[in-house]
C-alpha cells in the first residue's frame, strides 16, 4: 500500500479521489466567473465615470448603473456622472484627499458585496473553489490540523441577515431607478435601457427574496403554520420564498450576470458607443 | 450478457488491496447484483452488507467509482460497458471487512439527542396538528439511515471531527424534532455547542448524495443554523428576548 492510500483503498490528500468524472469543472467554472466578475466590477468602480445616461430632464429619467446606485456623493467633473442634485449628499467634499481615488461606487459596493459573500449558496461555491473545504464531494479537502468550520474566524457568516436588510433596501432603490427610467421630460416611454434596468431588479429580487435568512425570518422560524390570519399569511410567504429558495443558485448567477451586464449597457450608451433605442427619440 | 470488470477492495482494518474480477452481467442489473454474482461464483468470502435491495434499508452504502452510493440503486447502465467499476467501503467509518464498515458511531450520536418531548394532550386526550404543520418535518422522516451523508461530509470524512460534529444525518433528526409543532424541548444550545452546527460550512455534498433526495442543507441544516443565530448571534433578537421574554 502506498503512503497516500488509506485502508479501504481511499486516497489521502488534497484533491485526491477515485472519482472518474470531471468533478473539477464546477469549481473551475465558479472560479472563472467569480474572478471575472470581481475584476470587471473593480475596474468599473475605479472608472468613476460613464455610469449615468442623461434622460435630458434634470435627473429624473435616464439610466443609472446599479454599481453606482444610490449615488451618495458625486464628482460632477467626471464624464457621464449624475447631476449634483441626483446625489443624496451632494458633491464630493473638498476635504477628500487628492491622493485617494474617489468613486461613488466605493461608498456602496460593500453592502451588496457582503450579501453575496455571506450568502448560503455562494459559501458553497467559494468554499469548494477557493478554500478547498472540500473541492468536491468525496474529493480530498485541504488538510487542516483542527478544522473549525464556521465556529472561529468565519463566525461572522452568522450575520448574513444583516447583509440581507441592506440588500432589501437596495432592491427598493434600484426599483426606483428602474421606475424613473420610464419617464423623460414629463413623458412616459420605454427604452432598451428601461427594460435592462427592470430585468436587473427582477433578477436581484428573485435572488434576494429567495435568501435562506429571509425564508427563516418570514416564516421558517415558526413551528406551527396553522392558526390566525397573520400566521397563515406568513406560511404563504414562506411557501413563496421556498419556491425562490429552491432556485437560489440559478438566481444567484443570473442576477450576478444581470448586474454586470446592466453596468456594461449603461456604460456603452453613456460613452456613445451604442445607441439606446427608445420611444422618446 | 456482457463481460464487465470490477475492482473491489478486499481486506480488513489491518490492510488490504483492490482485486479485479471479470463478471458476466445482464440487462437491468444493479451494482449490488453483480457483487452478489461475484460473491457466489468467484469470492465466497467477500463481505458485503445488504438487506432490502430496494433503496429503503440503507445497508448497502459503499463508494462506487469514488462516489458514495447505494449499490442496490446504482444501475449498471450508468456506466460505459468498457468502464472498470471500482467498489470500496465508505471512508468515514472503520472497516470491518471488504465492503462492510462499522457505522456504530452513528448510533452513539443518536443516543445523545433528547427524544421527542410532546406537550400535554388536549383535554379530550388527543394531539392536534394540521397537515401544514407537519409537511415540513415529514420530509426528514424519509431518511433511511444509509449514512451516505455522514460518509461524504468533509468535516467527518477528511477532518475527522467526530469529537465535535454529529454530522448531517443527526442535524436532520434534530431539525425534525425542533420544527415539530408538538415538541417542547429546547435543543438549540446543544445544537450549537454539543452537536456542532457551526462546523457545517454548507458545501451541500450531503444533499447531493442523499438517495431519498431530502433537502438536507436547505431545509434542515440552514434553518437550524438560523435558529442558532436567533439565539446566540443576532443582537436585535437577543435584545427582543431581554425585553419581551421567550427563548
Amino acid at each position: 500500500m502506498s503512503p497516500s492510500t488509506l485502508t479501504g483503498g481511499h486516497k489521502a490528500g488534497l484533491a485526491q479521489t477515485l472519482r472518474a468524472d470531471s468533478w473539477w469543472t464546477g469549481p473551475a467554472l465558479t472560479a472563472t466567473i467569480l474572478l471575472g466578475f470581481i475584476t470587471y466590477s473593480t475596474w468599473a468602480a475605479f472608472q468613476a465615470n460613464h455610469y449615468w445616461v442623461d434622460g435630458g430632464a434634470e435627473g429624473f429619467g435616464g439610466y443609472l448603473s446599479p454599481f453606482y446606485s444610490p449615488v451618495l456623493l458625486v464628482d460632477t467633473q467626471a464624464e457621464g456622472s449624475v447631476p449634483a442634485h441626483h446625489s443624496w449628499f451632494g458633491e464630493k467634499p473638498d476635504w477628500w484627499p487628492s491622493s485617494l481615488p474617489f468613486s461613488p461606487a466605493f461608498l456602496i459596493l460593500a453592502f451588496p458585496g457582503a450579501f453575496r459573500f455571506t450568502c448560503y449558496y455562494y459559501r458553497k461555491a467559494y468554499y469548494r473553489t477557493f478554500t478547498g473545504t472540500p473541492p468536491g464531494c468525496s474529493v480530498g479537502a485541504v488538510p487542516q490540523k483542527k478544522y473549525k468550520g464556521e465556529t472561529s474566524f468565519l463566525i461572522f457568516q452568522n450575520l448574513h441577515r444583516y447583509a440581507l436588510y441592506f440588500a432589501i433596501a437596495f432592491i427598493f432603490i434600484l426599483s426606483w431607478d428602474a421606475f424613473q427610467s420610464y419617464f423623460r421630460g414629463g413623458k412616459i416611454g420605454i427604452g432598451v435601457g428601461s427594460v435592462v434596468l427592470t430585468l436587473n431588479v427582477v433578477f436581484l429580487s428573485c435572488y434576494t427574496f429567495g435568501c435562506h435568512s429571509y425564508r427563516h425570518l418570514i416564516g421558517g422560524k415558526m413551528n406551527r403554520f396553522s392558526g390566525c390570519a397573520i400566521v397563515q399569511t406568513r406560511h404563504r410567504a414562506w411557501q413563496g420564498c421556498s419556491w425562490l429558495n429552491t432556485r437560489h443558485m440559478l438566481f444567484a448567477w443570473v442576477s450576478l450576470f444581470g448586474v454586470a451586464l446592466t453596468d456594461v449597457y449603461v456604460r456603452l450608451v453613456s460613452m456613445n458607443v451604442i445607441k439606446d433605442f427608445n420611444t422618446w427619440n | 450478457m456482457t463481460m464487465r470488470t470490477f475492482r473491489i477492495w478486499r481486506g480488513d482494518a489491518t490492510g488490504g488491496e483492490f482485486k479485479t474480477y471479470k463478471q458476466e452481467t445482464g440487462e437491468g442489473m444493479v451494482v449490488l447484483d453483480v457483487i452478489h454474482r461475484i460473491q457466489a461464483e468467484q469470492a465466497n468470502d467477500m463481505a458485503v452488507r445488504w438487506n432490502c435491495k430496494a433503496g429503503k434499508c440503507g445497508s448497502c452504502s459503499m463508494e462506487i467509482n469514488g462516489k458514495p452510493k447505494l449499490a442496490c440503486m446504482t444501475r449498471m447502465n450508468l456506466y460505459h460497458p468498457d468502464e472498470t467499476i471500482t467498489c470500496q467501503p465508505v471512508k468515514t467509518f472503520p472497516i470491518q471487512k471488504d465492503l462492510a464498515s462499522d457505522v456504530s458511531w452513528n448510533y452513539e450520536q443518536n443516543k445523545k439527542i433528547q427524544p421527542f418531548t410532546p406537550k400535554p394532550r388536549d383535554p379530550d386526550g388527543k394531539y392536534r396538528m394540521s397537515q401544514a404543520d407537519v409537511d415540513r418535518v415529514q420530509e426528514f422522516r424519509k431518511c433511511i439511515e444509509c449514512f451516505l451523508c455522514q460518509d461524504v461530509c468533509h468535516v467527518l470524512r477528511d477532518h475527522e471531527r467526530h469529537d465535535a460534529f454529529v454530522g448531517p444525518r443527526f442535524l436532520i433528526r434534530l431539525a425534525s424534532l425542533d420544527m415539530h409543532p408538538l415538541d417542547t424541548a429546547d435543543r438549540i444550545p446543544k445544537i450549537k455547542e454539543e452537536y456542532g452546527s457551526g462546523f457545517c460550512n454548507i458545501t451541500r455534498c450531503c444533499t447531493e448524495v442523499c438517495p431519498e433526495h431530502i433537502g438536507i442543507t436547505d431545509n434542515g441544516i440552514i434553518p437550524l443554523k438560523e435558529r442558532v443565530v436567533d439565539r446566540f448571534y443576532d443582537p436585535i433578537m437577543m435584545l427582543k428576548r431581554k425585553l419581551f421574554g421567550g427563548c
Side-chain angles (χ1 to χ4, degrees), chain B residues 90-101:
Chain B
V90 294
K91 181 184 178 190
T92 301
F93 303 110
I95 291 164
Q96 288 181 313
K97 185 174 185 295
D98 303 332
L99 297 173
S101 300

Side-chain angles (χ1 to χ4, degrees), chain A residues 10, chain B residues 63 89-94 150-153 156-158 162:
Chain A
H10 297 283
Chain B
E63 298 193 12
V90 294
K91 181 184 178 190
T92 301
F93 303 110
Q150 303 284 85
D151 176 45
V152 81
C153 174
L156 303 173
R157 181 185 180 92
D158 296 316
H162 298 70

Side-chain angles (χ1 to χ4, degrees), chain A residues 8 10 18 120 127-128 133 137-138 147 150 161-162 212-213 215-216 220-226, chain B residues 9 63 66 88-89 130 133 136 161 178 198 201-205 208 218-219 226-227 230 234 236-237:
Chain A
H10 297 283
L18 283 183
Y120 283 105
Y127 284 143
R128 282 197 189 186
T133 49
C137 301
S138 64
Y147 177 77
E150 295 182 341
R161 61 182 61 177
Y162 285 90
H212 292 83
S213 289
R215 186 178 178 227
H216 169 75
K221 64 194 299 177
M222 301 187 302
N223 289 343
R224 274 197 183 272
F225 286 139
S226 57
Chain B
W9 196 84
E63 298 193 12
Q88 308 164 261
S130 72
D133 294 334
R136 182 168 48 166
R161 291 307 310 267
D178 203 62
N201 67 343
I202 319 293
T203 39
R204 285 184 163 77
C205 289
E208 286 184 22
D218 292 317
N219 296 340
E226 285 293 313
R227 286 173 185 226
D230 280 348
D234 185 338
I236 293 176
M237 292 289 177

Side-chain angles (χ1 to χ4, degrees), chain A residues 190-211:
Chain A
I190 187 169
V192 173
S194 319
V195 175
V196 169
L197 260 62
T198 305
L199 282 176
N200 179 47
V201 172
V202 170
F203 295 146
L204 284 172
S205 301
C206 289
Y207 170 56
T208 305
F209 294 115
C211 161

Side-chain angles (χ1 to χ4, degrees), chain B residues 72-115:
Chain B
C72 71
M73 299 302 286
T74 306
R75 296 179 67 90
M76 287 298 296
N77 62 7
L78 285 174
Y79 303 98
H80 190 273
D82 297 333
E83 188 175 354
T84 297
I85 296 174
T86 304
C87 299
Q88 308 164 261
V90 294
K91 181 184 178 190
T92 301
F93 303 110
I95 291 164
Q96 288 181 313
K97 185 174 185 295
D98 303 332
L99 297 173
S101 300
D102 174 8
V103 294
S104 58
W105 178 83
N106 293 290
Y107 303 116
E108 296 306 314
Q109 304 314 300
N110 202 34
K111 285 180 198 165
K112 294 198 302 198
I113 296 171
Q114 182 179 349

